[in-house]
Amino acid sequence: MNYMKSFFSNFKEFYNEINSATLTGAIDVIVVEQADGTYRCSPFHVRFGKIGVLRSREKMVDIEVNGQPVDLHMKLGHSGEAFFFEEIIEEEPKEPKTLRESAPSPTSDDNENGWLSDTYLSSGSDADIDENAQPNGEMKDASEQKDKKQKTKYKRKLRLSTQQIEDLNLKDDKNEVVFSVTTAYQGTTTCKCYIYKWRFDDQIVISDIDGTITKSDVLGHILPIIGKDWAQAGVANLFTLIKKNGYKLLYLSARAIGQATGTLDYLKSIRQGDCVLPDGPLLLSPTSLIAALHREVIEKKPEEFKIQCLQDISDLFSLSPFYAGFGNKVNDAWAYRAVDIRPSRIFTINHKGELKLELIQNFQSSYTSLSDLVDQMFPPLHSDQTDYCTEYNMFEYWREAIPEIDDSDDLLISLNKANISQKLVNGKSEPTNRKKAK
């Protein structure tokens, strides 16, 4: 009976995640502090569903960081996607253009918006929004503009500047961010994600979710709905030890943005003994579920999104931050190799829990076995992260101390006399040996 209650409750949440009318979610953000004190951040991908916010265009999004409101707002597009806007004032107005003409088409080079997604980029790209434009795309009469010497435009952005990031008052590592939209008839709709503040010299270990943390791609989606644990044995303990040695965990999946809340709740629910999965940013595809499934099931190219996402994160650092990667398919290995992870640190696991190096033969282990070698495979990054004292290592602890001998000790005097006598004997025997040799 408990399984049935859990099934219907979780199925309702799952349906809300895939229904475009209730498609609400946000993807975690990574902020990296550079050596010179400036900041770089990954894009803010935030969406509100149509049921939660009707007529989303022109609605403002309020932001709270760690429970405190900040003087920073986002705006909603016609598809429910949120974006920051920057006011631009031009002294000399340009040739009037419609919104449709001024919006650039999405390309793979549009790094401002991050991970490539045709649907998302076309509505969230850096388009200039003319204040004189009408909702139908037409322009006001030119006679109404002739007396204006300035023209105001708003540029869409998904990233923040160094000053804007400083104004958020982020603490190190994990920060909770809540996005809210308030309407007169529907009240307040919220969604949340986390901002992770890292340093430029941090080392990152990447983990896929479906088939890597779960035992299989398909059952990893279905069985948690009915309340059954389907996680790989030993994964929580291994990742906890890796985090303890100073590495940052990053969870990467081709799931859609609407599944962000359900995926995060599932990761938090994994408990194996006394261990849970350590915190880390969850990066998902900013597309809809249908588009994500088409890319993974029909096109069978999930690595395309992962490569673009990881390259975007890598650009936030001066040097490549990725130390190792865990996956369950050769596509994951290709994505990890594309961001310069060594083949000896790319692990793939199957549904039986057999861990191997996808690009190197003759290696087989498991999460549990790898936990015993974690200090060798993932050496501590800082000396203070070792959980043992050097005086208790194998060499120091079991070695017998050398006894101290006083100069007046009778044994020492006897040994010295014996050594002197031996030297005298050896000195007398040397001439005799030379005569015999002649």
Side-chain angles (χ1 to χ4, degrees), residues 3 6 63 74 91 107 121 137 156 185 188 222 303 305:
Y3 275 117
S6 178
I63 303 175
M74 302 182 79
E91 295 295 334
T107 64
L121 288 179
R156 296 188 178 194
Y185 300 103
T188 302
I222 299 175
E303 73 277 4
F305 155 72

Side-chain angles (χ1 to χ4, degrees), residues 7-66:
F7 171 77
F8 285 112
S9 175
N10 292 327
F11 183 79
K12 181 181 179 181
E13 295 180 4
F14 179 73
Y15 174 76
N16 288 337
E17 292 171 355
I18 66 176
N19 184 5
S20 60
T22 57
L23 179 63
T24 297
I27 298 175
D28 290 343
V29 179
I30 299 176
V31 171
V32 180
E33 183 179 2
Q34 307 300 311
D36 58 359
T38 59
Y39 294 94
R40 297 177 187 172
C41 71
S42 60
F44 283 71
H45 288 298
V46 182
R47 271 182 178 270
F48 285 90
K50 296 179 182 178
I51 287 182
V53 182
L54 288 174
R55 297 181 180 179
S56 58
R57 190 171 183 176
E58 305 301 328
K59 295 290 191 302
M60 300 298 294
V61 181
D62 298 321
I63 303 175
E64 292 184 2
V65 178
N66 296 323

Side-chain angles (χ1 to χ4, degrees), residues 354-382:
E354 298 171 346
L355 188 69
K356 64 178 183 178
L357 298 174
E358 183 65 36
L359 304 178
I360 297 179
Q361 302 299 323
N362 302 324
F363 175 87
Q364 184 169 319
S365 183
S366 65
Y367 283 148
T368 303
S369 300
L370 194 61
S371 298
D372 298 332
L373 302 173
V374 68
D375 288 336
Q376 287 72 37
M377 301 298 293
F378 302 89
L381 298 179
H382 307 288

Side-chain angles (χ1 to χ4, degrees), residues 33-169:
E33 183 179 2
Q34 307 300 311
D36 58 359
T38 59
Y39 294 94
R40 297 177 187 172
C41 71
S42 60
F44 283 71
H45 288 298
V46 182
R47 271 182 178 270
F48 285 90
K50 296 179 182 178
I51 287 182
V53 182
L54 288 174
R55 297 181 180 179
S56 58
R57 190 171 183 176
E58 305 301 328
K59 295 290 191 302
M60 300 298 294
V61 181
D62 298 321
I63 303 175
E64 292 184 2
V65 178
N66 296 323
Q68 300 296 323
V70 296
D71 188 18
L72 184 67
H73 302 276
M74 302 182 79
K75 202 171 184 179
L76 288 184
H78 60 85
S79 298
E81 78 287 352
F83 57 89
F84 299 105
F85 54 93
E86 178 182 358
E87 183 176 318
I88 301 176
I89 299 178
E90 295 182 354
E91 295 295 334
E92 297 181 3
K94 297 181 180 179
E95 186 70 17
K97 293 183 179 181
T98 64
L99 274 174
R100 186 181 303 275
E101 294 171 344
S102 62
S105 59
T107 64
S108 59
D109 295 329
D110 192 353
N111 293 325
E112 178 65 32
N113 297 280
W115 322 319
L116 179 62
S117 165
D118 292 342
T119 302
Y120 200 80
L121 288 179
S122 62
S123 59
S125 57
D126 285 347
D128 290 336
I129 305 175
D130 197 328
E131 66 173 0
N132 298 315
Q134 299 290 340
N136 59 4
E138 298 178 356
M139 301 299 299
K140 291 182 180 179
D141 193 333
S143 60
E144 299 179 13
Q145 306 178 41
K146 63 181 181 180
D147 295 333
K148 293 185 178 181
K149 296 182 180 180
Q150 293 182 343
K151 185 162 69 172
T152 303
K153 289 187 176 182
Y154 297 92
K155 185 178 182 181
R156 296 188 178 194
K157 297 179 69 68
L158 296 181
R159 302 177 194 265
L160 297 178
S161 64
T162 294
Q163 184 59 51
Q164 289 173 321
I165 293 174
E166 290 177 348
D167 293 341
L168 298 179
N169 296 320

Side-chain angles (χ1 to χ4, degrees), residues 153-433:
K153 289 187 176 182
Y154 297 92
K155 185 178 182 181
R156 296 188 178 194
K157 297 179 69 68
L158 296 181
R159 302 177 194 265
L160 297 178
S161 64
T162 294
Q163 184 59 51
Q164 289 173 321
I165 293 174
E166 290 177 348
D167 293 341
L168 298 179
N169 296 320
L170 300 175
K171 60 183 181 181
D172 291 339
D173 209 41
K174 187 177 180 181
N175 301 266
E176 184 183 69
V177 186
V178 178
F179 305 92
S180 60
V181 178
T182 303
T183 60
Y185 300 103
Q186 295 172 283
T188 302
T189 302
T190 64
C191 68
K192 72 175 182 179
C193 67
Y194 296 93
I195 297 179
Y196 286 83
K197 182 184 175 184
W198 290 349
R199 285 178 47 83
F200 66 95
D201 55 353
D202 284 332
Q203 294 288 292
I204 302 174
V205 174
I206 312 165
S207 175
D208 181 41
I209 296 177
D210 299 316
T212 305
I213 293 178
T214 63
K215 291 182 181 179
S216 70
D217 290 335
V218 179
L219 294 179
H221 280 83
I222 299 175
L223 292 181
I225 295 178
I226 63 176
K228 184 175 179 59
D229 181 27
W230 198 245
Q232 296 277 10
V235 62
N237 182 51
L238 174 61
F239 286 5
T240 300
L241 294 175
I242 292 175
K243 180 71 175 289
K244 188 176 180 180
N245 281 358
Y247 297 87
K248 304 295 185 182
L249 269 297
L250 186 153
Y251 302 102
L252 177 65
S253 175
R255 294 186 181 189
I257 186 174
Q259 297 176 278
T261 301
T263 303
L264 182 60
D265 290 342
Y266 170 70
L267 295 178
K268 289 182 177 180
S269 69
I270 295 177
R271 176 177 292 275
Q272 297 175 338
D274 296 332
C275 295
V276 296
L277 287 178
D279 291 331
L282 173 62
L283 303 185
L284 305 177
S285 172
T287 59
S288 65
L289 178 64
I290 302 301
L293 287 175
H294 181 271
R295 180 177 56 247
E296 186 161 0
V297 178
I298 306 301
E299 296 181 352
K300 296 183 178 180
K301 295 181 179 179
E303 73 277 4
E304 290 185 353
F305 155 72
K306 293 183 179 181
I307 291 174
Q308 292 160 1
C309 176
L310 293 177
Q311 287 178 341
D312 188 275
I313 300 302
S314 180
D315 291 340
L316 304 179
F317 296 80
S318 54
L319 299 175
S320 179
F322 302 121
Y323 182 83
F326 291 86
N328 70 310
K329 295 180 180 178
V330 69
N331 305 72
D332 298 322
W334 293 341
Y336 299 154
R337 282 297 298 138
V339 290
D340 298 327
I341 297 180
R342 294 181 182 179
S344 59
R345 298 174 186 164
I346 299 177
F347 302 91
T348 56
I349 191 168
N350 58 24
H351 65 281
K352 298 179 181 179
E354 298 171 346
L355 188 69
K356 64 178 183 178
L357 298 174
E358 183 65 36
L359 304 178
I360 297 179
Q361 302 299 323
N362 302 324
F363 175 87
Q364 184 169 319
S365 183
S366 65
Y367 283 148
T368 303
S369 300
L370 194 61
S371 298
D372 298 332
L373 302 173
V374 68
D375 288 336
Q376 287 72 37
M377 301 298 293
F378 302 89
L381 298 179
H382 307 288
S383 58
D384 58 349
Q385 289 170 333
T386 55
D387 58 353
Y388 59 89
C389 183
T390 54
E391 64 180 299
Y392 295 109
N393 61 28
M394 294 293 292
F395 179 75
E396 294 288 344
Y397 186 77
W398 297 106
R399 187 181 67 173
E400 293 184 1
I402 299 176
E404 296 183 0
I405 301 177
D406 190 8
D407 293 341
S408 61
D409 190 271
D410 295 337
L411 177 60
L412 179 61
I413 295 173
S414 301
L415 291 175
N416 289 335
K417 290 181 178 180
N419 289 335
I420 294 173
S421 302
Q422 185 66 31
K423 288 180 181 180
L424 293 175
V425 172
N426 292 338
K428 291 180 179 180
S429 61
E430 282 182 1
T432 306
N433 293 335

